[in-house]
Amino acid sequence: MRARFGRPGPRLFRLAWLTLVWILLWGTFSWANLLGGLAVGLFVVLVFPLPGVASEGRLRPLGLARVVLRVAADLVVSSVQVAWQSVRPGPPIRSSVIEVAFEERSEALMAALVEALSLVPGSVVVDADAERGVLWAHVLGADTDEEVDAFRARVHALEKNLLATGITAVRIEHAREPDEEGVA
């Protein structure tokens, strides 16, 4: 049983977390909400299992702080730029879909990059390919070669900062196919 379902610790944590969210969504604690939350949480944990994640390293707090500060600064600057572009007189803002390639092939790195870039106003990741190490982003106001190069430089700086957090040591463990005896 344990070989098929993995370690119970993370599953129990997810069950407890989902139950807490259920109770908070209802806005009041009652035994019915607790039991309902456990039932819904158990259903979600069993029907929609998450893949295993293995880590060979540890999180580097200074690298993480650098990423958080960089994304926060990008949020402030981009919010002001998008607000100005929305109210300024003149022709409509031109934008571009920009391809950015990376050396590192990591699903965790690509997910973090996509989240950070999509969080910042004025840029939305429209496609990403972790195997090839490429993403495409729609960027507001990037219609010259200099602006495109500046966006690519910003993304590569974010990649460098994310790598400094130790994110490449995290990898997704894909589900194994069952063998002849039915054990995964």
Side-chain angles (χ1 to χ4, degrees):
M1 180 92 141
R2 188 171 286 233
R4 181 167 179 231
F5 291 114
R7 292 188 349 250
R11 296 177 79 118
L12 290 175
F13 175 76
R14 281 180 283 210
L15 178 62
W17 178 252
L18 289 170
T19 303
L20 175 65
V21 168
W22 181 264
I23 292 169
L24 291 174
L25 285 172
W26 280 101
T28 182
F29 177 80
S30 70
W31 289 106
N33 284 343
L34 177 66
L35 293 175
L38 282 170
V40 170
L42 191 60
F43 174 78
V44 169
V45 167
L46 292 176
V47 175
F48 304 107
L50 293 174
V53 177
S55 177
E56 298 166 355
R58 44 182 223 147
L59 184 66
R60 297 183 192 118
L62 291 176
L64 181 61
R66 192 176 309 123
V67 169
V68 169
L69 291 174
R70 181 73 252 167
V71 171
D74 285 347
L75 275 168
V76 171
V77 170
S78 294
S79 295
V80 170
Q81 289 173 341
V82 168
W84 170 245
Q85 290 175 355
S86 300
V87 297
R88 75 170 179 78
I93 304 301
R94 294 179 51 120
S95 58
S96 301
V97 174
I98 301 171
E99 178 183 32
V100 183
F102 305 99
E103 294 294 321
E104 185 67 38
R105 304 288 195 274
S106 166
E107 292 174 352
L109 174 65
M110 185 63 72
L113 281 167
V114 168
E115 285 297 321
L117 291 173
S118 294
L119 181 66
V120 174
S123 65
V124 173
V125 176
V126 293
D127 196 9
D129 187 347
E131 289 179 9
R132 290 183 25 216
V134 178
L135 67 80
W136 294 267
H138 180 269
V139 182
L140 186 64
D143 61 343
T144 66
D145 289 340
E146 294 82 25
E147 291 167 330
V148 169
D149 290 339
F151 177 77
R152 282 191 180 122
R154 192 177 91 204
V155 173
H156 285 297
L158 178 61
E159 175 195 22
K160 180 181 173 187
N161 288 339
L162 282 168
L163 289 172
T165 66
I167 199 166
T168 56
V170 176
R171 67 181 187 284
I172 308 297
E173 293 179 346
H174 298 286
R176 296 181 304 171
E177 294 295 322
D179 60 12
E180 293 148 9
E181 297 170 5
V183 178

